[in-house]
Amino acid sequence: MDSFELTTSSGVTLIRLADEGAEWIARELAVLFGARRPRVLVVTDEHVALHHLEALLVALRTEDFVCARLVIAPGEAQKSFARLREALDTLATGSFARDDVVLAFGGGVVTDLAGFAASVYRRGIEWIAAPTTVLGMVDAAIGGKTGINHEAGKNLIGSFHQPRAVLCATRVLATLPEREVRAGAAEIVKGALLGGGEFWRDIEQAGADATTWSAEILRSFILRGARVKVEIVGRDERESGERALLNLGHTFGHALEQATGYGTVAHGEAVFYGLRAAVWLSRLTGALDPMRADELQAWLARCELPGVATTPDALSDALRADKKTVEGKLRWILLRGPGEPFITAGVPGEAVRDCAEWLCAIAQTGRSARHGPRKRRVLVLHGPNLNLLGEREPEIYGRMSHDDIAHECREAARQHGFEVLIRQTNHEGDYVDLLQWGRRWADGLILNPGAFTHTSVAVRDALAATYLPAIEVHLSEPRQREEFRHVSLISELCRATVSGRGVAGYADAMARLSNFLSETGVGVAR
Ligand code: DQA
């Protein structure tokens, strides 16, 4: 584990990074609070909840913490008054006390929102940031900036409220989509360009595409990027001077996000483009040696980014609304070289205009993914008692455990080039929640709802609302068993039913789904 501190006027924030999963966060909380056990409001989003919330809650309970949870939908739109209200309602109606704590378990949206709620509830209660994204670990969760968006601008309403600790359990990054890993690395690259020296040399060697870095390298870069941020924020918490350096790449980056509509490009992707603009302007204004600038430009251009269509006018309009404007002049962060950033208001308007035109041209085409289109995604959902497979009525269901079946499913998925997620639950509501989540994530479903097959109108309705192709699977042949098993409430919503074939049925279902998705072209170009 790596541990260091950020000291500001508000005290000391502990920053810890460990090659551990979500349970570690609970253990760290126990250490942090010693004998005391404050109540904990865990705020997270649906993506993180699906993969890691259960493990965290179980571990918190094991450590004797009493918890409440608030699970929000993913996305920037959640940094809203409505969601802030919901967080505050949860705290107030749950009678959270002055010495209770908010645990923000998620990416930048979650830490910004939950940190802000903590900063205003009872005039400020403690909060802990447990970031789950590269961007969060290296940047968003550090430094105490919290807030929500307003129609008139991003992060317009907020506060400085330092978390008591930033706990980064880096194993949770394994479930982060590649695009987010790649985009999040923009803040690492920014940190390396600000820090220079060995950090920059190592990054330069590793290449700009973070999805090609090993987990160990990624962890070490997050650590070094976080240290750069801590050093700068430690010297200038309220951005009266040096902290503005952290905006390297963010001037054109934010403009690109605003001009294309927030969410069209990921924040990190916009920052990559913004870093290219900063290097371009540094060269044009003579700050950066042209040879060095071209080398940096070529290096940055190797990171895969989606194409975005915008116009120089739209970018110029967005730049005019920039928060960094002082007395009508935009302050730019430029480079004399890696490790030599500086702040200047002296960039001529024509240079900015030229840069906007250049940026529009390169952003038009982007750099399409080397790996081709993303994999198709299949969600396999198992209902009640299937966790007991292997022990449960083996004469009917066979001797393979749920883990064995999951293994077979993964193998079949690999053969068809699918990304697969396999989940089992004994609870009807959870099965519905998983289907609702799958509706946005998956391209196809393989469902064995167990006994819910015969009873659950709620599961049937949730399936109908997914509009996804689904294959129904049963290990046994329900139609040859008790009469109450002869009815399936989901069959007519499924493309096919595979039953009575034991575990082999899953490979068959996967093949059928693959045929169907190939025929229709679903999922390849989204
Ligand atoms: C099952 C059949 C259901 O009738 C039963 O309730 C199950 C398993 C199967 O896979 O054969 O739990 O879905």
PDB file of all heavy atoms in Angstrom, residues 346-362:
ATOM      1  N   GLY A 346      -1.183  36.159 -22.333  1.00  0.00           N
ATOM      2  CA  GLY A 346      -0.676  36.797 -23.540  1.00  0.00           C
ATOM      3  C   GLY A 346      -0.734  35.932 -24.791  1.00  0.00           C
ATOM      4  O   GLY A 346       0.252  35.847 -25.528  1.00  0.00           O
ATOM      5  N   VAL A 347      -1.865  35.267 -25.040  1.00  0.00           N
ATOM      6  CA  VAL A 347      -1.980  34.530 -26.313  1.00  0.00           C
ATOM      7  C   VAL A 347      -2.889  35.347 -27.228  1.00  0.00           C
ATOM      8  O   VAL A 347      -4.060  35.574 -26.898  1.00  0.00           O
ATOM      9  CB  VAL A 347      -2.552  33.112 -26.092  1.00  0.00           C
ATOM     10  CG1 VAL A 347      -2.685  32.369 -27.417  1.00  0.00           C
ATOM     11  CG2 VAL A 347      -1.687  32.318 -25.142  1.00  0.00           C
ATOM     12  N   PRO A 348      -2.372  35.796 -28.386  1.00  0.00           N
ATOM     13  CA  PRO A 348      -3.188  36.651 -29.255  1.00  0.00           C
ATOM     14  C   PRO A 348      -4.448  35.941 -29.758  1.00  0.00           C
ATOM     15  O   PRO A 348      -4.419  34.725 -29.991  1.00  0.00           O
ATOM     16  CB  PRO A 348      -2.256  36.968 -30.434  1.00  0.00           C
ATOM     17  CG  PRO A 348      -0.909  36.452 -30.068  1.00  0.00           C
ATOM     18  CD  PRO A 348      -1.044  35.527 -28.924  1.00  0.00           C
ATOM     19  N   GLY A 349      -5.508  36.747 -29.947  1.00  0.00           N
ATOM     20  CA  GLY A 349      -6.788  36.206 -30.405  1.00  0.00           C
ATOM     21  C   GLY A 349      -6.676  35.411 -31.704  1.00  0.00           C
ATOM     22  O   GLY A 349      -7.311  34.364 -31.857  1.00  0.00           O
ATOM     23  N   GLU A 350      -5.815  35.890 -32.638  1.00  0.00           N
ATOM     24  CA  GLU A 350      -5.707  35.167 -33.934  1.00  0.00           C
ATOM     25  C   GLU A 350      -5.099  33.776 -33.726  1.00  0.00           C
ATOM     26  O   GLU A 350      -5.467  32.816 -34.403  1.00  0.00           O
ATOM     27  CB  GLU A 350      -4.798  35.900 -34.952  1.00  0.00           C
ATOM     28  CG  GLU A 350      -5.053  37.378 -35.148  1.00  0.00           C
ATOM     29  CD  GLU A 350      -4.369  38.202 -34.075  1.00  0.00           C
ATOM     30  OE1 GLU A 350      -3.140  38.356 -34.144  1.00  0.00           O
ATOM     31  OE2 GLU A 350      -5.072  38.687 -33.162  1.00  0.00           O
ATOM     32  N   ALA A 351      -4.163  33.696 -32.774  1.00  0.00           N
ATOM     33  CA  ALA A 351      -3.528  32.396 -32.508  1.00  0.00           C
ATOM     34  C   ALA A 351      -4.570  31.417 -31.960  1.00  0.00           C
ATOM     35  O   ALA A 351      -4.614  30.246 -32.356  1.00  0.00           O
ATOM     36  CB  ALA A 351      -2.382  32.567 -31.516  1.00  0.00           C
ATOM     37  N   VAL A 352      -5.435  31.932 -31.080  1.00  0.00           N
ATOM     38  CA  VAL A 352      -6.481  31.071 -30.505  1.00  0.00           C
ATOM     39  C   VAL A 352      -7.427  30.609 -31.614  1.00  0.00           C
ATOM     40  O   VAL A 352      -7.813  29.441 -31.698  1.00  0.00           O
ATOM     41  CB  VAL A 352      -7.261  31.822 -29.405  1.00  0.00           C
ATOM     42  CG1 VAL A 352      -8.407  30.975 -28.884  1.00  0.00           C
ATOM     43  CG2 VAL A 352      -6.332  32.209 -28.257  1.00  0.00           C
ATOM     44  N   ARG A 353      -7.765  31.532 -32.499  1.00  0.00           N
ATOM     45  CA  ARG A 353      -8.668  31.222 -33.613  1.00  0.00           C
ATOM     46  C   ARG A 353      -8.039  30.149 -34.531  1.00  0.00           C
ATOM     47  O   ARG A 353      -8.683  29.174 -34.898  1.00  0.00           O
ATOM     48  CB  ARG A 353      -8.931  32.527 -34.380  1.00  0.00           C
ATOM     49  CG  ARG A 353      -9.818  32.410 -35.574  1.00  0.00           C
ATOM     50  CD  ARG A 353     -11.264  32.265 -35.165  1.00  0.00           C
ATOM     51  NE  ARG A 353     -12.042  31.790 -36.286  1.00  0.00           N
ATOM     52  CZ  ARG A 353     -13.322  31.523 -36.249  1.00  0.00           C
ATOM     53  NH1 ARG A 353     -13.993  31.659 -35.130  1.00  0.00           N
ATOM     54  NH2 ARG A 353     -13.953  31.110 -37.308  1.00  0.00           N
ATOM     55  N   ASP A 354      -6.752  30.336 -34.848  1.00  0.00           N
ATOM     56  CA  ASP A 354      -6.057  29.341 -35.683  1.00  0.00           C
ATOM     57  C   ASP A 354      -6.075  27.975 -35.008  1.00  0.00           C
ATOM     58  O   ASP A 354      -6.277  26.942 -35.643  1.00  0.00           O
ATOM     59  CB  ASP A 354      -4.588  29.747 -35.901  1.00  0.00           C
ATOM     60  CG  ASP A 354      -4.476  30.878 -36.908  1.00  0.00           C
ATOM     61  OD1 ASP A 354      -5.521  31.258 -37.478  1.00  0.00           O
ATOM     62  OD2 ASP A 354      -3.348  31.389 -37.111  1.00  0.00           O
ATOM     63  N   CYS A 355      -5.839  28.004 -33.719  1.00  0.00           N
ATOM     64  CA  CYS A 355      -5.783  26.742 -32.965  1.00  0.00           C
ATOM     65  C   CYS A 355      -7.164  26.067 -32.989  1.00  0.00           C
ATOM     66  O   CYS A 355      -7.268  24.849 -33.146  1.00  0.00           O
ATOM     67  CB  CYS A 355      -5.323  27.012 -31.534  1.00  0.00           C
ATOM     68  SG  CYS A 355      -5.043  25.510 -30.607  1.00  0.00           S
ATOM     69  N   ALA A 356      -8.226  26.882 -32.844  1.00  0.00           N
ATOM     70  CA  ALA A 356      -9.584  26.322 -32.872  1.00  0.00           C
ATOM     71  C   ALA A 356      -9.845  25.640 -34.222  1.00  0.00           C
ATOM     72  O   ALA A 356     -10.436  24.558 -34.282  1.00  0.00           O
ATOM     73  CB  ALA A 356     -10.608  27.429 -32.622  1.00  0.00           C
ATOM     74  N   GLU A 357      -9.361  26.261 -35.301  1.00  0.00           N
ATOM     75  CA  GLU A 357      -9.573  25.657 -36.629  1.00  0.00           C
ATOM     76  C   GLU A 357      -8.823  24.342 -36.764  1.00  0.00           C
ATOM     77  O   GLU A 357      -9.340  23.345 -37.253  1.00  0.00           O
ATOM     78  CB  GLU A 357      -9.125  26.634 -37.718  1.00  0.00           C
ATOM     79  CG  GLU A 357     -10.239  27.600 -38.035  1.00  0.00           C
ATOM     80  CD  GLU A 357      -9.838  28.694 -38.995  1.00  0.00           C
ATOM     81  OE1 GLU A 357      -8.828  28.545 -39.714  1.00  0.00           O
ATOM     82  OE2 GLU A 357     -10.547  29.716 -39.013  1.00  0.00           O
ATOM     83  N   TRP A 358      -7.580  24.363 -36.277  1.00  0.00           N
ATOM     84  CA  TRP A 358      -6.751  23.150 -36.347  1.00  0.00           C
ATOM     85  C   TRP A 358      -7.391  22.027 -35.522  1.00  0.00           C
ATOM     86  O   TRP A 358      -7.499  20.893 -35.969  1.00  0.00           O
ATOM     87  CB  TRP A 358      -5.344  23.485 -35.821  1.00  0.00           C
ATOM     88  CG  TRP A 358      -4.446  22.302 -35.673  1.00  0.00           C
ATOM     89  CD1 TRP A 358      -3.760  21.667 -36.667  1.00  0.00           C
ATOM     90  CD2 TRP A 358      -4.143  21.591 -34.459  1.00  0.00           C
ATOM     91  NE1 TRP A 358      -3.050  20.619 -36.143  1.00  0.00           N
ATOM     92  CE2 TRP A 358      -3.272  20.555 -34.789  1.00  0.00           C
ATOM     93  CE3 TRP A 358      -4.522  21.754 -33.125  1.00  0.00           C
ATOM     94  CZ2 TRP A 358      -2.757  19.667 -33.850  1.00  0.00           C
ATOM     95  CZ3 TRP A 358      -4.021  20.875 -32.177  1.00  0.00           C
ATOM     96  CH2 TRP A 358      -3.155  19.849 -32.540  1.00  0.00           C
ATOM     97  N   LEU A 359      -7.856  22.405 -34.318  1.00  0.00           N
ATOM     98  CA  LEU A 359      -8.445  21.396 -33.431  1.00  0.00           C
ATOM     99  C   LEU A 359      -9.705  20.784 -34.052  1.00  0.00           C
ATOM    100  O   LEU A 359      -9.904  19.566 -33.992  1.00  0.00           O
ATOM    101  CB  LEU A 359      -8.769  22.025 -32.069  1.00  0.00           C
ATOM    102  CG  LEU A 359      -9.081  21.033 -30.955  1.00  0.00           C
ATOM    103  CD1 LEU A 359      -7.884  20.145 -30.666  1.00  0.00           C
ATOM    104  CD2 LEU A 359      -9.493  21.760 -29.686  1.00  0.00           C
ATOM    105  N   CYS A 360     -10.527  21.628 -34.682  1.00  0.00           N
ATOM    106  CA  CYS A 360     -11.739  21.104 -35.333  1.00  0.00           C
ATOM    107  C   CYS A 360     -11.364  20.085 -36.402  1.00  0.00           C
ATOM    108  O   CYS A 360     -12.012  19.043 -36.543  1.00  0.00           O
ATOM    109  CB  CYS A 360     -12.529  22.224 -36.003  1.00  0.00           C
ATOM    110  SG  CYS A 360     -13.402  23.209 -34.821  1.00  0.00           S
ATOM    111  N   ALA A 361     -10.305  20.410 -37.148  1.00  0.00           N
ATOM    112  CA  ALA A 361      -9.897  19.509 -38.233  1.00  0.00           C
ATOM    113  C   ALA A 361      -9.414  18.170 -37.677  1.00  0.00           C
ATOM    114  O   ALA A 361      -9.823  17.111 -38.165  1.00  0.00           O
ATOM    115  CB  ALA A 361      -8.803  20.169 -39.070  1.00  0.00           C
ATOM    116  N   ILE A 362      -8.565  18.190 -36.636  1.00  0.00           N
ATOM    117  CA  ILE A 362      -8.076  16.890 -36.142  1.00  0.00           C
ATOM    118  C   ILE A 362      -9.160  16.129 -35.373  1.00  0.00           C
ATOM    119  O   ILE A 362      -9.193  14.902 -35.389  1.00  0.00           O
ATOM    120  CB  ILE A 362      -6.790  17.000 -35.277  1.00  0.00           C
ATOM    121  CG1 ILE A 362      -7.029  17.840 -34.020  1.00  0.00           C
ATOM    122  CG2 ILE A 362      -5.589  17.478 -36.074  1.00  0.00           C
ATOM    123  CD1 ILE A 362      -6.005  17.550 -32.932  1.00  0.00           C
TER     124      ILE A 362
END
